């Protein structure tokens, strides 16, 4: 491997560390691959997008309609663990909400459409 390839590999491992500020796990333990994430518009007078990483902004854009954590990770092209930390940041800021899929929340059988979406998201990783 030449120096250029070595530098690319190093950059790929440093970026997730940087965007998570060195954290390796979210503060919450209830985020699963099928947890749905939805953007919340900021309350009047609250900061908009200032101080957010580009990845945070991408999540907010993508989750204007609910999206599973696995789908968000695939779209960002980031590991699921890193994506969970970023989602946790947005929830703590009041910019996103999370919930289990409706079928799980009410105890019904799993919706096959959601399972296919999660499967497809995981394949894109």
């Amino acid at each position: 491997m030449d120096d250029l390839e070595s530098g690319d590999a190093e950059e790929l491992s440093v970026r997730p560390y940087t965007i998570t500020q060195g954290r390796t796990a979210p503060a919450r333990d209830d985020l699963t691959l099928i947890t749905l994430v939805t953007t919340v518009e900021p309350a009047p007078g609250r900061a908009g997008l200032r101080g957010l990483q580009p990845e945070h902004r991408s999540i907010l854009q993508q989750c204007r309609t609910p999206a599973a954590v696995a789908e968000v990770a695939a779209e960002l092209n980031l590991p699921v663990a890193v994506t969970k930390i970023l989602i946790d940041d947005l929830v703590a800021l009041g910019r996103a909400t999370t919930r289990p899929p409706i079928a799980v929340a009410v105890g019904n059988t799993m919706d096959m459409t959601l399972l296919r979406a999660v499967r497809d998201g995981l394949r894109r990783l």
Side-chain angles (χ1 to χ4, degrees), residues 42-101:
R46 289 190 72 179
L49 299 175
R50 270 181 284 150
L52 295 180
Q53 296 282 346
E55 292 81 3
H56 288 117
R57 294 169 192 227
S58 293
I59 292 169
L60 291 174
Q61 179 68 34
Q62 182 183 356
C63 295
R64 288 182 181 196
T65 58
V69 170
E71 293 175 292
V72 175
E75 183 68 26
L76 292 174
N77 197 27
L78 286 173
V80 172
V82 172
T83 303
K84 287 180 179 182
I85 292 168
L86 297 174
I87 291 168
D88 188 41
D89 291 345
L90 293 170
V91 170
L93 292 170
R95 292 302 313 271
T97 60
T98 61
R99 66 170 175 80

Side-chain angles (χ1 to χ4, degrees), residues 102-123:
I102 292 173
V104 173
V106 296
N108 294 331
T109 58
M110 186 60 67
D111 177 15
M112 291 307 292
T113 305
L114 176 63
L115 287 176
R116 284 186 194 102
V118 170
R119 178 199 62 201
D120 295 343
L122 289 171
R123 284 183 177 160

